[in-house]
Each structure stands twice: as C-alpha cells, then as structure tokens.
C-alpha cells in the first residue's frame, strides 16, 4: 500500500545492491530502471526485496498498535 512512486523507489534502492553504475532514486519507472531490473536475476532481486521487507517490518515493534498487522504484512510481502 505504498503507491507506485514509493514502490519504484524501493526497487531502485534495491537495484543499487546489484547494479554497477548510477541508479537514480526518483520513483520513475523509466527505461533505465527497467534495464537495471532486466540485468538482475529474478530470484536474487526477489530475495533481496524480501530481506528488505523483513528489516522494514522489524521496526514495527517501535510503532504503537502496529504489531497487530505485522504478520499480515510479512505474508503479503513474501506471497507477493
């Protein structure tokens, strides 16, 4: 539920882990981002996104009332 711009930024940030060269974090799913996505093995990209989601969700414990949603968020991230 982050919206397309934020989702694109998350992918762009993740691509920096794999791609040599500049990746602009601008939230625009353009030719450069698509080319970078195509250059990374799908399983590796998905695994890295899942790991980043786990790190993100581990911070939920510090947000009052958010713990009740944690399991659902993790399941959604893993199941895609």
């Amino acid at each position: 539920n982050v919206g397309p711009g934020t989702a694109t930024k998350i992918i762009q940030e993740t691509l920096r882990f794999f791609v040599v060269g500049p990746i602009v974090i601008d939230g625009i799913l353009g030719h450069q981002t698509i080319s970078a996505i195509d250059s990374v093995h799908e399983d590796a990209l998905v695994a890295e996104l899942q790991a980043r989601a786990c790190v993100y969700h581990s911070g939920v414990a510090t947000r009052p009332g958010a713990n009740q949603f944690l399991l659902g968020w993790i399941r959604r991230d893993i199941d895609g």
Side-chain angles (χ1 to χ4, degrees):
N1 294 336
V2 296
T6 301
T8 301
K9 286 180 181 179
I10 292 168
I11 290 172
Q12 290 168 332
E13 289 170 0
T14 303
L15 287 168
R16 281 187 169 178
F17 180 75
F18 296 102
V19 178
V20 175
I23 299 288
V24 178
I25 311 297
D26 59 6
I28 298 171
L29 188 59
H31 297 294
Q32 291 178 343
T33 302
I34 297 294
S35 293
I37 290 169
D38 289 341
S39 74
V40 177
H41 191 275
E42 180 181 347
D43 291 340
L45 183 58
V46 169
E48 180 63 20
L49 286 166
Q50 288 175 337
R52 288 170 183 261
C54 288
V55 169
Y56 170 80
H57 292 307
S58 69
V60 168
T62 62
R63 289 184 249 155
N67 285 342
Q68 63 185 344
F69 303 109
L70 178 60
L71 185 57
W73 290 338
I74 291 173
R75 284 182 180 145
R76 183 185 67 204
D77 286 340
I78 291 173
D79 293 340

